[in-house]
Amino acid sequence: MKTIAANYTSIFFLLVLFFALGCNKDEIHSNKDLTDGFSITSHGEVILNHNDFEYYDYSAHLIYLKDSKSFVEDFEDLGEFKVHANGEEIYSGETWPGYSSSIPLGPMIGTHPSFYGDNIVSIGFMPYLDSLGNFLPDPREDERIVEALKGYDQFHAGLSCEITSVEYVSSTNVTVKLLLKNNDDFNYYYIDPEKTGIGLFHYFTNGLYIRNFSSYEMYEHEIEIVSADPYNSWDLDWMSVINGNQSKEITITYNNFEEVPPGQYKATFEFPGLSFQVDKDDIIQDNGQIWLGSLRMQKDIIVD
């Protein structure tokens, strides 16, 4: 009788172990589903996964949330966060309130306030140097993130821009030429300096500035800025359409740039897009989508 009882006991524990393992397997599978594709966690909790957002604009590193998520409720007081691609941790960062006196290095999510609407999470990056004085790579540009986003058709390449030339007509007359490219197969609206005028265009950007990194001298334009009125307004008449996979040359002339001594410099330009001004319902227009964000580019130049 003791042998029979022992056998029943053994069978009972085997069944318990079987179901326990089965439940644990399902739980692991469930957790894996939460981190398939692109996801964000904080303190071991999944804050966002592929079910929670529509797409990721890779050019501006903007996550466009679905209606079930809210930047203010879900991200504003997040603290530390980790970004995953198909379950693999790619990088970590922290939220940064605008009232803080310090700026964290590396990836960060700006809060209090965000520069975007409640439907958008913007992941920024503050460059920093390694022990040898070299800039470390931007972890947001990891190819594993691209693959994870493409797996759920959530990857938007967005716009890119480069400085093609900086030409000096005189010591204070400078022309910068940019090449704006749409890397997606659908249309975008972008802020067009020919439509806004140079004063209003520079309400949204610092524009061109030239820096000597050995002496830390910086030179910039002296344009009289024209503010949007009210400050949070925008107008489709300020914008032009760049078609899918199209490139456009943009020329901006500064007639009153600070005089730059001869030498080697880095020219920097920030190409602007709209941000908090645009409501979610206004992003999609009849002939395309309004591109939000900003692009920063540099070019080595020689001033004679």
Side-chain angles (χ1 to χ4, degrees), residues 157-171:
L159 302 182
S160 59
C161 193
E162 63 174 301
I163 300 172
T164 56
S165 68
V166 178
E167 302 171 357
Y168 270 81
V169 179
S170 70
S171 60

Side-chain angles (χ1 to χ4, degrees), residues 95-135:
T95 54
W96 174 66
Y99 56 76
S100 175
S101 59
S102 61
I103 299 178
L105 298 177
M108 62 181 180
I109 297 175
T111 66
H112 300 288
S114 167
F115 290 108
Y116 295 90
D118 194 47
N119 63 305
I120 292 176
V121 179
S122 171
I123 303 180
F125 178 71
M126 182 59 65
Y128 57 104
L129 305 174
D130 62 16
S131 58
L132 300 177
N134 300 312
F135 280 105

Side-chain angles (χ1 to χ4, degrees), residues 42-288:
S42 180
H43 304 290
E45 178 184 356
V46 177
I47 306 300
L48 173 138
N49 66 24
H50 62 267
N51 295 309
D52 299 321
F53 67 101
E54 296 172 354
Y55 55 89
Y56 184 121
D57 183 333
Y58 200 65
S59 64
H61 295 287
L62 301 180
I63 305 167
Y64 286 71
L65 301 173
K66 292 183 177 179
D67 290 338
S68 58
K69 301 293 283 186
S70 159
F71 176 81
V72 172
E73 294 180 6
D74 299 311
F75 292 90
E76 196 162 59
D77 298 310
L78 201 60
E80 297 179 355
F81 67 89
K82 295 180 180 180
V83 166
H84 304 260
N86 290 326
E88 183 179 1
E89 181 182 332
I90 306 300
Y91 66 84
S92 61
E94 58 184 294
T95 54
W96 174 66
Y99 56 76
S100 175
S101 59
S102 61
I103 299 178
L105 298 177
M108 62 181 180
I109 297 175
T111 66
H112 300 288
S114 167
F115 290 108
Y116 295 90
D118 194 47
N119 63 305
I120 292 176
V121 179
S122 171
I123 303 180
F125 178 71
M126 182 59 65
Y128 57 104
L129 305 174
D130 62 16
S131 58
L132 300 177
N134 300 312
F135 280 105
L136 292 172
D138 185 344
R140 301 174 303 168
E141 306 289 339
D142 195 297
E143 190 62 29
R144 290 169 293 180
I145 293 176
V146 175
E147 294 305 314
L149 291 166
K150 287 182 176 180
Y152 286 92
D153 195 25
Q154 293 176 311
F155 176 79
H156 285 190
L159 302 182
S160 59
C161 193
E162 63 174 301
I163 300 172
T164 56
S165 68
V166 178
E167 302 171 357
Y168 270 81
V169 179
S170 70
S171 60
T172 58
N173 190 312
V174 183
T175 295
V176 57
K177 292 185 177 180
L178 311 172
L179 187 65
L180 183 68
K181 182 179 180 182
N182 182 353
N183 299 297
D184 286 313
D185 56 9
F186 53 86
N187 300 349
Y188 283 111
Y189 285 85
Y190 68 95
I191 300 177
D192 188 338
E194 291 188 3
K195 292 187 175 182
T196 59
I198 195 167
L200 180 58
F201 183 76
H202 282 79
Y203 174 73
F204 299 102
T205 176
N206 291 324
L208 176 70
Y209 52 98
I210 296 173
R211 178 170 295 176
N212 183 325
F213 278 87
S214 60
S215 65
Y216 300 103
E217 292 287 340
M218 187 174 75
Y219 305 89
E220 56 190 348
H221 62 80
E222 297 178 342
I223 288 173
E224 184 176 346
I225 306 301
V226 177
S227 300
D229 186 20
Y231 78 97
N232 59 348
S233 62
W234 66 280
D235 196 316
L236 202 62
D237 289 340
W238 299 346
M239 314 190 83
S240 290
V241 172
I242 181 168
N243 296 327
N245 302 307
Q246 182 186 18
S247 295
K248 281 189 175 185
E249 185 177 76
I250 296 173
T251 301
I252 298 174
T253 297
Y254 297 93
N255 296 317
N256 54 348
F257 207 87
E258 291 182 332
E259 188 169 351
V260 179
Q264 294 183 337
Y265 298 89
K266 282 191 180 294
T268 301
F269 196 94
E270 296 178 357
F271 190 85
L274 295 174
S275 53
F276 65 89
Q277 304 95 336
V278 182
D279 293 332
K280 182 177 183 179
D281 293 340
D282 292 325
I283 291 174
I284 304 299
Q285 297 289 322
D286 291 340
N287 198 25

